[in-house]
Amino acid sequence: MDLRIKRERLFDEDVYTVHPDDYRALCEQLKKDGFDYPRAISSLDMGYGLRVVLQLTRMSDLAKVEVRTDVSYDVAAVDSVTDLWPGVEWHEREAYDLMGISFRGHPDLRRLLLEEEWDLHPLQKRYDTGGYLIPDWRPADWPDPAPWQEPAPSQEDAAPEGGEGE
Amino acid sequence: MSSTIGLEPVLGRSDEMIVNMGPQHPATHGVLRVVIGLEGERITRAVPHIGYLHRNHEKIEESRTYFQVVPFTDRMDYVSGTQNELPVVLAVEDLAGIEVPERAKMIRTMFFELFRIASHLVWMGTAMLDLGAITPFLYTFWDREIILGIVERTAGARMLPNYYTFGGVRRDLHPHFFKDVAEFLDHLEKRMPDYEHLVLENPIVHARTVGVGVLSKERAVARGVSGPVLRASGVAYDVRKAFPYDAYPEVEFEIPTSDAGDTYARFWVRFQEIYQSVKILRQLLEKTPKTGPFKGRAPARLKISGERYRAVENSRGELGVYVVGDGGDKPYRIKHRGAAFSNLQVIPDLFIGAKFSDAIAILSSLDPVFGEIDR
Amino acid sequence: MSLIPIPEDRRFKIKLIGYDPGRSRPWLERFVYSLYVVAFWLFVIATYAGVPALFDWLGWDGGWGYVVMRALQVVMLFLLSAVIALMLILALRKYLGKVQERYGPMHYGPAGGIQTVFDALKLLGKEDFVPAAADWLTFRLAPAVTFVSSFAIFAVVPFASGWTLADSNVGLIYLIAVSTLSAYGVLLGGASSGNKWALIGALRAGAQMVSYEVPLALVFLSVAVWSGSMSLGKIVDAQLGVWNVIPLFIPFVLYVISSLAELKHIPFDFPEAESELIAGYNVEYSGMSFAFFFLAEFVELFLLPALIVVFFFGGWHGPLFGLEPGTLAAGALQSLYFSVKTAVWVWIFLWIRATLPRYRDDQLMEFAWKAMIPLALLGLVLAAYMRLIWR
């Protein structure tokens, strides 16, 4: 399978940076490889887009792996992996709630910690600690060599322009 | 939070009564709200709602320096004090390459285990309170008070000590520390048979917990639970053994596991963990030098770049933190992986099909702390 | 300079928590609480000996005079039940404090002696609130039903030889009828509150009543068969030689368990399980309505142990030291024996309350239907055989 992926090793973890469209495929692969214990899903505002960081452990040999994928502000959505690891259910909801990343196929995607009526995702860098929009905040340009490596060059969504920032 | 999700009646089910358990309910250990559907006493649905104690630690911590982040973490799992500080401290030490003296590691580990005992004592009292016995609560809080007294003498504060720092601990041990801890351990070993008699050997506790809320091994792993809840389901996963930190490689202890996976097994595992903590503390009291460095060299102004996930085994399970630094003195992003947060996800698995009274027992065996779950 | 307690180490307790067992002044405590006991005893003597003697002296001992005398005795018993409630609430709080290594009430009155009086005053001053969703009439009547049905048990309890309001020859049947009624109060109160927790509590109370009432009735039957009478006075009389607890041991154990269930007492306090149903059936009650539920609970906490003593522990029997039965001195002594035996059982109930956790409600039902009823039938058959053989 051709995954748009970059593999590296940081400290004691294998880190895979993957194209959002291949995120689900990689997760299925990892599930087949025996990574059965979901530690957490973290989310980051990279300035040019949002990053999902999925951390997994294999209980048999305690190997740790980290899957990263970047999405643009405009299309802030990846496929949910709740059916592979039910334990990420609340972590995905939390990432949706605080960071604004949607998870396609999540069974119950709604706000977890904030109120239903809340209309912003406070962990995004465009908001300050008080929850107000920072006036001169602009999204950065998408990094030119994308964080993952392309197996075969395909230009259709390698360099989106980034969101307008409201 | 104030949502009505879970409250809507199921079509064609007029015999289901929907009750809101919480957020103000004596047995929810704080501010959990579970929308429960009842058919008689049997639970047909359980929709947990959290976030009533949400303060968005993660956003606040982005605007604080690394030194200011550490006291914030204390406020997460407020019954296990210094245990919350350790993941941040370890991650930052990894990224900044700070060396920690051996003695400082041992001091940290001793405090870590003292707080594990304190937390499990609080759990024991509140779990028995949930089962209807008021007296054990007062006894266990008495013993916890001694631990807090010991911590106060060294760290200066009782519940939220802000004691660990990058490269070691903030202050040297109080001169009476070793004597105090040794006396406390003797005292605790005298009390433990009483507690076993009150809790584990109590026939009513047996009747209420054995076979109640069984969490299978596969489900426990897939749900990402950790700590005593996971070990009670038969998985010997303990961060202290799996990814050792501080002085844990130098001490001997076992990971108590049970295959039953029921509420009683979770009770039992926590009891055995207290014994293991006593064992660890006894070894460390012997090994730790009475004097020596308590803090390594750490820059007064930490500037960090890179990202690191570190986890510790706190009283509730794997307490992780994902620190991202952008080269400044403030973290770019901190994500806390709460142990109780992940453990609480199993509520629908365990509640549905149980009796309402069982739900209370199950919840107390999960030992949630809402400072950490809601953050 | 040690932080560590040895349980007897007073210095430690003062130092670390500020707890000083000596500060509760045990001797003052005993003196103050014995005043309650003396008041209780004097009330009993005044009710059962004083009032009839007064009417005898006035010459109003026939016709309407008799009715007025009985009415006055009922009023006295109502006051007595208030004394009992104040005394038992205080005893409960102090005793729980002792068990739990803390003081209990300390500040109002010597050694906290009149704390419960102030508690009652506080309840009097609170708004008696009826929720909008409640059924007004039922909601209002329920505490009265509960209290009256508990209080009505007093009518047949013999405090000493002849010291009873109505030594009826259907006393046992009366008891069954009246004690069942008390569960109705709980059921109505909970169901009319318009609150889901209260409703669950009420349903639990109903389910619980259905399960413990049957073995209770069978135990009454065994006692009646063995004693040859349904009158409580005659049941006590029949225990002159040997207390019923020895021949009727199985019914005795079942009766204690049923009493705990009837009292809604730990380990069977399902209708008001604090950690499950918040306060259960009385969650919406406040002020004096709540106080009446409370009063009923503590009056029952006195009366059910009293009935244990009447049925199984020889009632007022005890050495009379040559006093003529029927005189005032003998009656006073007998009522003292009765009260002491009752106090021991109240203490046992409080001890259970301080020690045990709670069962699950269906476990009581299962136990009652699968174990208690067969055992009660066995006890009944044994009682009948023993009666045939020995009497």
Side-chain angles (χ1 to χ4, degrees), chain C residues 229-245:
Chain C
S229 171
M230 287 209 177
S231 145
L232 269 65
K234 295 218 175 62
I235 288 172
V236 176
D237 281 338
Q239 297 179 60
L240 186 58
V242 55
W243 290 354
N244 276 351
V245 63

Side-chain angles (χ1 to χ4, degrees), chain C residues 72-386:
Chain C
L72 189 59
Q73 280 185 322
V74 170
V75 172
M76 294 285 284
L77 279 179
F78 180 74
L79 294 176
L80 180 69
S81 70
V83 172
I84 287 171
L86 292 182
M87 187 163 77
L88 287 188
I89 294 168
L90 197 60
L92 171 71
R93 294 177 63 178
K94 271 290 181 187
Y95 181 66
L96 283 185
K98 289 255 182 302
V99 172
Q100 295 165 355
E101 300 179 329
R102 56 189 179 84
Y103 297 118
M106 280 287 288
H107 289 282
Y108 291 97
I114 51 173
Q115 171 78 41
T116 41
V117 177
F118 282 91
D119 285 348
L121 285 178
K122 182 209 73 171
L123 279 176
L124 268 172
K126 282 175 95 168
E127 184 189 357
D128 205 344
F129 180 79
V130 184
D135 184 304
W136 192 90
L137 185 67
T138 326
F139 187 82
R140 280 286 186 215
L141 276 179
V145 172
T146 310
F147 175 73
V148 167
S149 55
S150 305
F151 180 64
I153 299 177
F154 265 120
V156 290
V157 174
F159 280 79
S161 162
W163 284 20
T164 167
L165 274 195
D167 191 8
S168 161
N169 54 6
V170 289
L172 282 179
I173 293 175
Y174 172 82
L175 267 183
I176 294 175
V178 156
S179 61
T180 313
L181 213 57
S182 121
Y184 271 100
V186 172
L187 206 59
L188 294 175
S192 66
S193 292
N195 181 309
K196 286 172 178 171
W197 300 112
L199 179 62
I200 300 174
L203 292 175
R204 283 184 173 188
Q208 189 171 335
M209 180 193 72
V210 170
S211 45
Y212 72 74
E213 280 291 334
V214 181
L216 197 64
L218 288 171
V219 168
F220 282 161
L221 206 53
S222 325
V223 173
V225 164
W226 174 249
S227 312
S229 171
M230 287 209 177
S231 145
L232 269 65
K234 295 218 175 62
I235 288 172
V236 176
D237 281 338
Q239 297 179 60
L240 186 58
V242 55
W243 290 354
N244 276 351
V245 63
I246 294 164
L248 298 179
F249 189 74
I250 298 173
F252 157 70
V253 174
L254 296 177
Y255 185 77
V256 172
I257 297 172
S258 309
S259 296
L260 288 171
E262 186 171 358
L263 262 174
K264 297 179 281 297
H265 196 287
I266 273 181
F268 303 125
D269 62 339
F270 318 120
E272 52 181 325
E274 284 148 32
S275 58
E276 294 166 18
L277 304 182
I278 302 166
Y281 66 92
N282 59 26
V283 66
E284 292 290 353
Y285 281 92
S286 58
M288 276 318 275
S289 309
F290 173 71
F292 268 93
F293 273 125
F294 214 58
L295 197 61
E297 188 186 327
F298 280 88
V299 168
E300 283 204 351
L301 183 56
F302 169 79
L303 284 172
L304 294 181
L307 289 177
I308 293 179
V309 172
V310 166
F311 289 145
F312 300 104
F313 285 88
W316 33 260
H317 280 308
L320 282 181
F321 307 110
L323 289 171
E324 190 66 33
T327 59
L328 175 66
L333 194 58
Q334 283 172 336
S335 67
L336 190 64
Y337 288 138
F338 177 77
S339 307
V340 168
K341 289 178 194 171
T342 307
V344 170
W345 273 100
V346 170
W347 171 68
I348 290 175
F349 276 37
L350 295 185
W351 185 20
I352 289 172
R353 185 170 186 139
T355 317
L356 294 184
R358 178 187 309 120
Y359 273 109
R360 205 171 59 210
D361 54 342
D362 60 311
Q363 285 166 342
L364 169 67
M365 277 184 261
E366 201 179 311
F367 181 63
W369 286 99
K370 290 187 184 162
M372 280 168 76
I373 291 179
L375 276 176
L377 285 169
L378 178 71
L380 178 59
V381 172
L382 282 181
Y385 268 108
M386 285 190 295

Side-chain angles (χ1 to χ4, degrees), chain A:
Chain A
M1 196 167 11
D2 287 344
L3 297 175
R4 281 160 285 183
I5 191 170
K6 188 175 76 177
R7 297 162 202 270
E8 50 193 322
R9 187 157 177 91
L10 290 176
F11 296 100
D12 54 347
E13 289 179 293
D14 286 322
V15 178
Y16 302 139
T17 313
V18 70
H19 189 280
D21 291 351
D22 295 342
Y23 169 74
R24 168 86 196 180
L26 177 65
C27 287
E28 280 167 2
Q29 186 73 47
L30 289 172
K31 172 82 180 175
K32 260 185 230 142
D33 288 350
F35 285 93
D36 48 356
Y37 185 71
R39 290 207 305 276
I41 283 188
S42 315
S43 51
L44 268 130
D45 188 337
M46 299 301 290
Y48 55 85
L50 301 172
R51 171 172 286 183
V52 180
V53 182
L54 167 66
Q55 282 146 336
L56 301 168
T57 306
R58 185 159 53 199
M59 277 296 175
S60 51
D61 62 350
L62 298 172
K64 293 203 280 187
V65 66
E66 196 173 298
V67 182
R68 298 174 180 174
T69 183
D70 288 358
V71 293
S72 70
Y73 290 112
D74 293 341
V75 203
V78 292
D79 289 322
S80 168
V81 291
T82 315
D83 50 337
L84 302 178
W85 299 283
V88 300
E89 188 185 336
W90 280 15
H91 292 275
E92 288 189 349
R93 277 178 66 188
E94 190 193 342
Y96 165 72
D97 185 3
L98 300 180
M99 195 59 95
I101 302 166
S102 297
F103 291 87
R104 287 185 290 258
H106 189 285
D108 187 21
L109 192 66
R110 56 194 163 86
R111 285 190 180 271
L112 179 69
L113 296 166
L114 301 176
E115 286 184 31
E116 296 276 295
E117 304 82 36
W118 212 269
D119 60 349
L120 53 85
H121 302 284
L123 281 181
Q124 290 185 0
K125 290 286 177 188
R126 70 181 69 180
Y127 302 107
D128 66 8
T129 314
Y132 297 102
L133 267 179
I134 300 172
D136 52 351
W137 187 89
R138 291 286 175 275
D141 289 338
W142 195 264
D144 193 13
W148 46 82
Q149 285 156 4
E150 306 279 329
S154 65
Q155 291 300 317
E156 73 274 0
D157 68 352
E161 290 308 308
E164 265 69 51
E166 313 263 317

Side-chain angles (χ1 to χ4, degrees), chain B residues 3 17 22 61 88 120 165 186 253 277 282 302 335 339 345 358 364:
Chain B
S3 78
M17 182 163 86
E61 283 161 5
V88 177
H120 282 347
T165 188
D186 292 342
F253 63 99
S277 293
R282 286 222 189 277
L302 273 170
K335 151 88 184 175
Q345 290 185 73
D358 289 341
S364 70

